[in-house]
Amino acid sequence: MSAPIVIIGAGQSGLQVAEALRAEGWEGDVIMLGEEPVAPYHRPPLSKAYLLGESSAEQLTMRTPEVLARKNITLRTGIRVERIDPAAKTLHFSHGSSLPYHRLAIATGARVRPLPGADLQGVFGLRTLDDCTRISEALNTAQDVVVIGGGFIGLEFAAVARKKEKTVTVLEAADRLMARAVSPIISALYVTLHTQHGVALKLGVKVTGFTSANGRVSGVTLADGGTVKADLVVVGIGVLPNQELAAAAGLACEGGIIVDACGRTSDPFIFASGDCAAMRLDDGSLRRLESVQNAVEQGKAAAAAIMGKEKPFIAAPWFWSDQYDVKLQMVGTSAGHDQAIVRGDQAGYKCSIFYYRQGVMIGMDSLNRPQDHMAGRKLLDQHLSPTPQQAADEGFALNSLLQQQAV
Ligand SMILES: Cc1cc2nc3c(=O)[nH]c(=O)nc-3n(C[C@H](O)[C@H](O)[C@H](O)COP(=O)(O)OP(=O)(O)OC[C@H]3O[C@@H](n4cnc5c(N)ncnc54)[C@H](O)[C@@H]3O)c2cc1C
């Protein structure tokens, strides 16, 4: 077997596939190809500690090329795959060269959803280290910051900008914050949190464009005729999966590269994982997640499947977000809940909300309560559910349900 296993994308998930292949016993060549000029790095700090200057570039790096080389993983950065030829099992690059593969893993991630007119100076998306560096420089001199989109990344950035004492306005089209991912209870708590920190929140507003002066952004225009003054704008209106390579190669795609729980695509020699992949669930629906857990677990599942092993990613999804001094940790889902139980102190941002559907816990959101979150993960993975009374009772140890089962 001479051809290598090739991974397109040297991000969180691509790295996981590479390392998991070694753990699963693959002894042949592994080549990871990344368009960005740097070794795999952690993206979450780009809108948190790193942007605040509280962590270093070294801390961002997940593995240096030297560490990868010791694992016999070849990393090629600054290289973009232009085309996959699945019949010839070959990749093609823009400069005309090509690379054969034995098996292929696609971990191309996602890109910031573009907003028309957002190519003005002073308007940024936040996805890459390069974006973060440019935003960080612009923040040094900016005063009036506008964030378009009240999702996780936009709000985390808003919190950083407030800590840097900028005037911050958040513009959100929906009538609540983080509406795609959290319950109305959490949205409302975050309206209070950001308002307490001095952010001007405008919900239910439609952005129509930008005003500029000397080629630089000077404001954001709204459908109601208003303009919000701005010398720095961050657009955080979601991402688009990088699925075009796969689609052009004939792989089934629908809002992401369609995979099963083991990362298998519609081509038996090609696998996909992370932000670019949409997983078919048991009920037939597709779920594309944008999270570290998903990138890691799907990457592991795909590596196992490449090795002919069945290790599906079935754990309950979890995610976190840091805004000011509040760590929000989510597990499972709040979508479709018919009962919400609060444990702890909502006003002090130290509480957990348990979500139930027909008496069974389907998810939990925790604010500054990491132990609840960890217990929630275990409970959901083991299909255990505290009663609503137990959930509300601070004296009830959630882990005791796990212990009872272990006995
Ligand atoms: C600012 C920010 C904050 C976040 N915060 C959190 C958080 O708090 N918690 C959490 O769970 N998740 C968070 N996330 C999400 C998390 O980082 C992503 O879900 C994760 O990085 C996805 O990993 P991935 O490998 O699928 O994609 P990526 O990490 O995006 O990696 C994909 C790589 O593929 C490369 N690529 C694409 N096309 C090609 C090509 N044709 N040829 C070669 N290379 C290519 C890209 O350049 C990129 O480097 C955050 C993301 C961002 C941007």
Side-chain angles (χ1 to χ4, degrees), residues 243-274:
Q243 63 177 29
E244 290 75 7
L245 262 184
L251 300 193
C253 295
E254 195 182 317
I257 305 166
I258 299 179
V259 294
D260 67 8
C262 294
R264 292 180 283 235
T265 69
S266 55
D267 181 307
F269 302 107
I270 305 181
F271 302 76
S273 60

PDB file of all heavy atoms in Angstrom, residues 243-274:
ATOM      1  N   GLN A 243     -17.916  22.960   1.730  1.00  0.00           N
ATOM      2  CA  GLN A 243     -18.315  21.680   1.140  1.00  0.00           C
ATOM      3  C   GLN A 243     -18.120  21.644  -0.384  1.00  0.00           C
ATOM      4  O   GLN A 243     -18.372  20.621  -1.023  1.00  0.00           O
ATOM      5  CB  GLN A 243     -19.791  21.409   1.435  1.00  0.00           C
ATOM      6  CG  GLN A 243     -20.720  22.450   0.810  1.00  0.00           C
ATOM      7  CD  GLN A 243     -22.191  22.158   1.036  1.00  0.00           C
ATOM      8  OE1 GLN A 243     -22.550  21.545   2.028  1.00  0.00           O
ATOM      9  NE2 GLN A 243     -23.034  22.574   0.119  1.00  0.00           N
ATOM     10  N   GLU A 244     -17.662  22.764  -0.973  1.00  0.00           N
ATOM     11  CA  GLU A 244     -17.647  22.865  -2.436  1.00  0.00           C
ATOM     12  C   GLU A 244     -16.746  21.812  -3.094  1.00  0.00           C
ATOM     13  O   GLU A 244     -17.114  21.244  -4.122  1.00  0.00           O
ATOM     14  CB  GLU A 244     -17.230  24.278  -2.869  1.00  0.00           C
ATOM     15  CG  GLU A 244     -18.266  25.371  -2.576  1.00  0.00           C
ATOM     16  CD  GLU A 244     -18.355  25.785  -1.113  1.00  0.00           C
ATOM     17  OE1 GLU A 244     -17.511  25.323  -0.299  1.00  0.00           O
ATOM     18  OE2 GLU A 244     -19.266  26.552  -0.766  1.00  0.00           O
ATOM     19  N   LEU A 245     -15.572  21.566  -2.491  1.00  0.00           N
ATOM     20  CA  LEU A 245     -14.661  20.543  -3.030  1.00  0.00           C
ATOM     21  C   LEU A 245     -15.364  19.196  -3.117  1.00  0.00           C
ATOM     22  O   LEU A 245     -15.283  18.497  -4.119  1.00  0.00           O
ATOM     23  CB  LEU A 245     -13.489  20.353  -2.066  1.00  0.00           C
ATOM     24  CG  LEU A 245     -12.157  21.021  -2.268  1.00  0.00           C
ATOM     25  CD1 LEU A 245     -11.212  20.536  -1.186  1.00  0.00           C
ATOM     26  CD2 LEU A 245     -11.605  20.711  -3.643  1.00  0.00           C
ATOM     27  N   ALA A 246     -16.049  18.862  -2.025  1.00  0.00           N
ATOM     28  CA  ALA A 246     -16.732  17.569  -1.947  1.00  0.00           C
ATOM     29  C   ALA A 246     -17.896  17.515  -2.931  1.00  0.00           C
ATOM     30  O   ALA A 246     -18.090  16.516  -3.635  1.00  0.00           O
ATOM     31  CB  ALA A 246     -17.241  17.338  -0.519  1.00  0.00           C
ATOM     32  N   ALA A 247     -18.653  18.602  -3.010  1.00  0.00           N
ATOM     33  CA  ALA A 247     -19.807  18.627  -3.918  1.00  0.00           C
ATOM     34  C   ALA A 247     -19.338  18.472  -5.364  1.00  0.00           C
ATOM     35  O   ALA A 247     -19.935  17.720  -6.145  1.00  0.00           O
ATOM     36  CB  ALA A 247     -20.586  19.921  -3.725  1.00  0.00           C
ATOM     37  N   ALA A 248     -18.235  19.180  -5.706  1.00  0.00           N
ATOM     38  CA  ALA A 248     -17.728  19.099  -7.081  1.00  0.00           C
ATOM     39  C   ALA A 248     -17.234  17.688  -7.400  1.00  0.00           C
ATOM     40  O   ALA A 248     -17.207  17.285  -8.564  1.00  0.00           O
ATOM     41  CB  ALA A 248     -16.604  20.118  -7.278  1.00  0.00           C
ATOM     42  N   ALA A 249     -16.847  16.944  -6.363  1.00  0.00           N
ATOM     43  CA  ALA A 249     -16.381  15.571  -6.577  1.00  0.00           C
ATOM     44  C   ALA A 249     -17.549  14.580  -6.604  1.00  0.00           C
ATOM     45  O   ALA A 249     -17.342  13.372  -6.689  1.00  0.00           O
ATOM     46  CB  ALA A 249     -15.394  15.181  -5.483  1.00  0.00           C
ATOM     47  N   GLY A 250     -18.753  15.116  -6.478  1.00  0.00           N
ATOM     48  CA  GLY A 250     -19.932  14.263  -6.573  1.00  0.00           C
ATOM     49  C   GLY A 250     -20.394  13.676  -5.249  1.00  0.00           C
ATOM     50  O   GLY A 250     -21.296  12.831  -5.211  1.00  0.00           O
ATOM     51  N   LEU A 251     -19.812  14.107  -4.134  1.00  0.00           N
ATOM     52  CA  LEU A 251     -20.258  13.583  -2.836  1.00  0.00           C
ATOM     53  C   LEU A 251     -21.603  14.217  -2.466  1.00  0.00           C
ATOM     54  O   LEU A 251     -21.858  15.383  -2.770  1.00  0.00           O
ATOM     55  CB  LEU A 251     -19.246  13.922  -1.734  1.00  0.00           C
ATOM     56  CG  LEU A 251     -17.816  13.399  -1.871  1.00  0.00           C
ATOM     57  CD1 LEU A 251     -17.072  13.556  -0.555  1.00  0.00           C
ATOM     58  CD2 LEU A 251     -17.797  11.952  -2.291  1.00  0.00           C
ATOM     59  N   ALA A 252     -22.426  13.459  -1.780  1.00  0.00           N
ATOM     60  CA  ALA A 252     -23.727  13.983  -1.358  1.00  0.00           C
ATOM     61  C   ALA A 252     -23.512  15.078  -0.314  1.00  0.00           C
ATOM     62  O   ALA A 252     -22.809  14.874   0.685  1.00  0.00           O
ATOM     63  CB  ALA A 252     -24.570  12.853  -0.769  1.00  0.00           C
ATOM     64  N   CYS A 253     -24.089  16.245  -0.569  1.00  0.00           N
ATOM     65  CA  CYS A 253     -23.964  17.388   0.343  1.00  0.00           C
ATOM     66  C   CYS A 253     -25.331  18.044   0.504  1.00  0.00           C
ATOM     67  O   CYS A 253     -26.102  18.123  -0.459  1.00  0.00           O
ATOM     68  CB  CYS A 253     -23.006  18.439  -0.223  1.00  0.00           C
ATOM     69  SG  CYS A 253     -21.300  17.914  -0.372  1.00  0.00           S
ATOM     70  N   GLU A 254     -25.604  18.476   1.711  1.00  0.00           N
ATOM     71  CA  GLU A 254     -26.846  19.225   1.946  1.00  0.00           C
ATOM     72  C   GLU A 254     -26.611  20.041   3.217  1.00  0.00           C
ATOM     73  O   GLU A 254     -26.710  19.518   4.318  1.00  0.00           O
ATOM     74  CB  GLU A 254     -28.005  18.239   2.138  1.00  0.00           C
ATOM     75  CG  GLU A 254     -29.371  18.871   2.022  1.00  0.00           C
ATOM     76  CD  GLU A 254     -30.464  17.836   2.267  1.00  0.00           C
ATOM     77  OE1 GLU A 254     -30.382  16.692   1.753  1.00  0.00           O
ATOM     78  OE2 GLU A 254     -31.397  18.175   3.023  1.00  0.00           O
ATOM     79  N   GLY A 255     -26.203  21.282   3.055  1.00  0.00           N
ATOM     80  CA  GLY A 255     -25.840  22.085   4.227  1.00  0.00           C
ATOM     81  C   GLY A 255     -24.658  21.466   4.945  1.00  0.00           C
ATOM     82  O   GLY A 255     -24.558  21.512   6.164  1.00  0.00           O
ATOM     83  N   GLY A 256     -23.727  20.898   4.191  1.00  0.00           N
ATOM     84  CA  GLY A 256     -22.568  20.185   4.750  1.00  0.00           C
ATOM     85  C   GLY A 256     -22.386  18.882   3.972  1.00  0.00           C
ATOM     86  O   GLY A 256     -23.286  18.460   3.233  1.00  0.00           O
ATOM     87  N   ILE A 257     -21.206  18.288   4.150  1.00  0.00           N
ATOM     88  CA  ILE A 257     -20.944  17.006   3.480  1.00  0.00           C
ATOM     89  C   ILE A 257     -21.664  15.931   4.293  1.00  0.00           C
ATOM     90  O   ILE A 257     -21.411  15.780   5.501  1.00  0.00           O
ATOM     91  CB  ILE A 257     -19.425  16.709   3.440  1.00  0.00           C
ATOM     92  CG1 ILE A 257     -18.669  17.879   2.796  1.00  0.00           C
ATOM     93  CG2 ILE A 257     -19.154  15.403   2.704  1.00  0.00           C
ATOM     94  CD1 ILE A 257     -17.150  17.841   3.012  1.00  0.00           C
ATOM     95  N   ILE A 258     -22.553  15.212   3.657  1.00  0.00           N
ATOM     96  CA  ILE A 258     -23.372  14.260   4.427  1.00  0.00           C
ATOM     97  C   ILE A 258     -22.516  13.064   4.859  1.00  0.00           C
ATOM     98  O   ILE A 258     -21.842  12.436   4.041  1.00  0.00           O
ATOM     99  CB  ILE A 258     -24.590  13.789   3.607  1.00  0.00           C
ATOM    100  CG1 ILE A 258     -25.471  14.998   3.267  1.00  0.00           C
ATOM    101  CG2 ILE A 258     -25.374  12.726   4.382  1.00  0.00           C
ATOM    102  CD1 ILE A 258     -26.690  14.670   2.430  1.00  0.00           C
ATOM    103  N   VAL A 259     -22.544  12.804   6.169  1.00  0.00           N
ATOM    104  CA  VAL A 259     -21.810  11.656   6.725  1.00  0.00           C
ATOM    105  C   VAL A 259     -22.737  10.865   7.645  1.00  0.00           C
ATOM    106  O   VAL A 259     -23.755  11.375   8.115  1.00  0.00           O
ATOM    107  CB  VAL A 259     -20.574  12.098   7.556  1.00  0.00           C
ATOM    108  CG1 VAL A 259     -19.526  12.763   6.684  1.00  0.00           C
ATOM    109  CG2 VAL A 259     -20.973  13.013   8.708  1.00  0.00           C
ATOM    110  N   ASP A 260     -22.339   9.605   7.898  1.00  0.00           N
ATOM    111  CA  ASP A 260     -23.037   8.853   8.939  1.00  0.00           C
ATOM    112  C   ASP A 260     -22.303   9.080  10.267  1.00  0.00           C
ATOM    113  O   ASP A 260     -21.362   9.876  10.334  1.00  0.00           O
ATOM    114  CB  ASP A 260     -23.155   7.368   8.558  1.00  0.00           C
ATOM    115  CG  ASP A 260     -21.799   6.660   8.514  1.00  0.00           C
ATOM    116  OD1 ASP A 260     -20.777   7.263   8.924  1.00  0.00           O
ATOM    117  OD2 ASP A 260     -21.764   5.497   8.079  1.00  0.00           O
ATOM    118  N   ALA A 261     -22.715   8.393  11.308  1.00  0.00           N
ATOM    119  CA  ALA A 261     -22.138   8.638  12.638  1.00  0.00           C
ATOM    120  C   ALA A 261     -20.673   8.223  12.703  1.00  0.00           C
ATOM    121  O   ALA A 261     -19.983   8.523  13.681  1.00  0.00           O
ATOM    122  CB  ALA A 261     -22.950   7.911  13.697  1.00  0.00           C
ATOM    123  N   CYS A 262     -20.183   7.528  11.656  1.00  0.00           N
ATOM    124  CA  CYS A 262     -18.774   7.136  11.605  1.00  0.00           C
ATOM    125  C   CYS A 262     -17.987   7.996  10.628  1.00  0.00           C
ATOM    126  O   CYS A 262     -16.845   7.655  10.274  1.00  0.00           O
ATOM    127  CB  CYS A 262     -18.651   5.670  11.218  1.00  0.00           C
ATOM    128  SG  CYS A 262     -19.326   4.566  12.465  1.00  0.00           S
ATOM    129  N   GLY A 263     -18.571   9.088  10.159  1.00  0.00           N
ATOM    130  CA  GLY A 263     -17.846   9.997   9.271  1.00  0.00           C
ATOM    131  C   GLY A 263     -17.728   9.499   7.838  1.00  0.00           C
ATOM    132  O   GLY A 263     -16.931  10.023   7.059  1.00  0.00           O
ATOM    133  N   ARG A 264     -18.526   8.479   7.465  1.00  0.00           N
ATOM    134  CA  ARG A 264     -18.445   7.962   6.092  1.00  0.00           C
ATOM    135  C   ARG A 264     -19.297   8.828   5.166  1.00  0.00           C
ATOM    136  O   ARG A 264     -20.444   9.133   5.498  1.00  0.00           O
ATOM    137  CB  ARG A 264     -18.932   6.505   6.043  1.00  0.00           C
ATOM    138  CG  ARG A 264     -17.993   5.537   6.762  1.00  0.00           C
ATOM    139  CD  ARG A 264     -18.489   4.107   6.716  1.00  0.00           C
ATOM    140  NE  ARG A 264     -19.584   3.914   7.673  1.00  0.00           N
ATOM    141  CZ  ARG A 264     -19.590   2.978   8.634  1.00  0.00           C
ATOM    142  NH1 ARG A 264     -18.579   2.143   8.764  1.00  0.00           N
ATOM    143  NH2 ARG A 264     -20.617   2.871   9.440  1.00  0.00           N
ATOM    144  N   THR A 265     -18.732   9.210   4.027  1.00  0.00           N
ATOM    145  CA  THR A 265     -19.491   9.995   3.045  1.00  0.00           C
ATOM    146  C   THR A 265     -20.132   9.031   2.040  1.00  0.00           C
ATOM    147  O   THR A 265     -20.072   7.809   2.208  1.00  0.00           O
ATOM    148  CB  THR A 265     -18.568  10.957   2.269  1.00  0.00           C
ATOM    149  OG1 THR A 265     -17.712  10.174   1.421  1.00  0.00           O
ATOM    150  CG2 THR A 265     -17.713  11.800   3.210  1.00  0.00           C
ATOM    151  N   SER A 266     -20.663   9.588   0.950  1.00  0.00           N
ATOM    152  CA  SER A 266     -21.266   8.728  -0.073  1.00  0.00           C
ATOM    153  C   SER A 266     -20.205   8.039  -0.935  1.00  0.00           C
ATOM    154  O   SER A 266     -20.549   7.208  -1.766  1.00  0.00           O
ATOM    155  CB  SER A 266     -22.223   9.552  -0.953  1.00  0.00           C
ATOM    156  OG  SER A 266     -21.543  10.670  -1.497  1.00  0.00           O
ATOM    157  N   ASP A 267     -18.924   8.379  -0.760  1.00  0.00           N
ATOM    158  CA  ASP A 267     -17.833   7.685  -1.466  1.00  0.00           C
ATOM    159  C   ASP A 267     -17.135   6.784  -0.440  1.00  0.00           C
ATOM    160  O   ASP A 267     -16.697   7.270   0.610  1.00  0.00           O
ATOM    161  CB  ASP A 267     -16.850   8.731  -2.024  1.00  0.00           C
ATOM    162  CG  ASP A 267     -15.690   8.090  -2.789  1.00  0.00           C
ATOM    163  OD1 ASP A 267     -15.007   7.197  -2.226  1.00  0.00           O
ATOM    164  OD2 ASP A 267     -15.445   8.484  -3.937  1.00  0.00           O
ATOM    165  N   PRO A 268     -17.000   5.497  -0.748  1.00  0.00           N
ATOM    166  CA  PRO A 268     -16.443   4.578   0.272  1.00  0.00           C
ATOM    167  C   PRO A 268     -14.996   4.859   0.649  1.00  0.00           C
ATOM    168  O   PRO A 268     -14.527   4.346   1.665  1.00  0.00           O
ATOM    169  CB  PRO A 268     -16.576   3.196  -0.393  1.00  0.00           C
ATOM    170  CG  PRO A 268     -16.768   3.461  -1.847  1.00  0.00           C
ATOM    171  CD  PRO A 268     -17.399   4.810  -1.981  1.00  0.00           C
ATOM    172  N   PHE A 269     -14.291   5.677  -0.140  1.00  0.00           N
ATOM    173  CA  PHE A 269     -12.883   5.964   0.177  1.00  0.00           C
ATOM    174  C   PHE A 269     -12.693   7.357   0.777  1.00  0.00           C
ATOM    175  O   PHE A 269     -11.572   7.788   1.020  1.00  0.00           O
ATOM    176  CB  PHE A 269     -12.024   5.814  -1.092  1.00  0.00           C
ATOM    177  CG  PHE A 269     -12.138   4.442  -1.691  1.00  0.00           C
ATOM    178  CD1 PHE A 269     -12.862   4.244  -2.873  1.00  0.00           C
ATOM    179  CD2 PHE A 269     -11.575   3.347  -1.062  1.00  0.00           C
ATOM    180  CE1 PHE A 269     -12.994   2.970  -3.409  1.00  0.00           C
ATOM    181  CE2 PHE A 269     -11.712   2.069  -1.593  1.00  0.00           C
ATOM    182  CZ  PHE A 269     -12.428   1.874  -2.771  1.00  0.00           C
ATOM    183  N   ILE A 270     -13.818   8.079   0.973  1.00  0.00           N
ATOM    184  CA  ILE A 270     -13.708   9.457   1.467  1.00  0.00           C
ATOM    185  C   ILE A 270     -14.541   9.627   2.740  1.00  0.00           C
ATOM    186  O   ILE A 270     -15.695   9.178   2.814  1.00  0.00           O
ATOM    187  CB  ILE A 270     -14.171  10.476   0.398  1.00  0.00           C
ATOM    188  CG1 ILE A 270     -13.391  10.268  -0.910  1.00  0.00           C
ATOM    189  CG2 ILE A 270     -13.969  11.900   0.897  1.00  0.00           C
ATOM    190  CD1 ILE A 270     -13.753  11.228  -2.040  1.00  0.00           C
ATOM    191  N   PHE A 271     -13.961  10.308   3.715  1.00  0.00           N
ATOM    192  CA  PHE A 271     -14.572  10.517   5.028  1.00  0.00           C
ATOM    193  C   PHE A 271     -14.597  12.020   5.298  1.00  0.00           C
ATOM    194  O   PHE A 271     -13.819  12.767   4.704  1.00  0.00           O
ATOM    195  CB  PHE A 271     -13.764   9.761   6.086  1.00  0.00           C
ATOM    196  CG  PHE A 271     -13.694   8.278   5.783  1.00  0.00           C
ATOM    197  CD1 PHE A 271     -12.846   7.801   4.781  1.00  0.00           C
ATOM    198  CD2 PHE A 271     -14.517   7.382   6.426  1.00  0.00           C
ATOM    199  CE1 PHE A 271     -12.815   6.450   4.445  1.00  0.00           C
ATOM    200  CE2 PHE A 271     -14.491   6.020   6.105  1.00  0.00           C
ATOM    201  CZ  PHE A 271     -13.635   5.561   5.101  1.00  0.00           C
ATOM    202  N   ALA A 272     -15.457  12.460   6.179  1.00  0.00           N
ATOM    203  CA  ALA A 272     -15.494  13.899   6.479  1.00  0.00           C
ATOM    204  C   ALA A 272     -15.852  14.097   7.941  1.00  0.00           C
ATOM    205  O   ALA A 272     -16.559  13.277   8.541  1.00  0.00           O
ATOM    206  CB  ALA A 272     -16.499  14.618   5.581  1.00  0.00           C
ATOM    207  N   SER A 273     -15.354  15.204   8.503  1.00  0.00           N
ATOM    208  CA  SER A 273     -15.624  15.474   9.920  1.00  0.00           C
ATOM    209  C   SER A 273     -15.485  16.954  10.221  1.00  0.00           C
ATOM    210  O   SER A 273     -14.862  17.699   9.459  1.00  0.00           O
ATOM    211  CB  SER A 273     -14.649  14.672  10.801  1.00  0.00           C
ATOM    212  OG  SER A 273     -13.309  15.036  10.503  1.00  0.00           O
ATOM    213  N   GLY A 274     -16.078  17.356  11.337  1.00  0.00           N
ATOM    214  CA  GLY A 274     -15.951  18.746  11.801  1.00  0.00           C
ATOM    215  C   GLY A 274     -17.023  19.647  11.211  1.00  0.00           C
ATOM    216  O   GLY A 274     -18.089  19.198  10.780  1.00  0.00           O
TER     217      GLY A 274
END
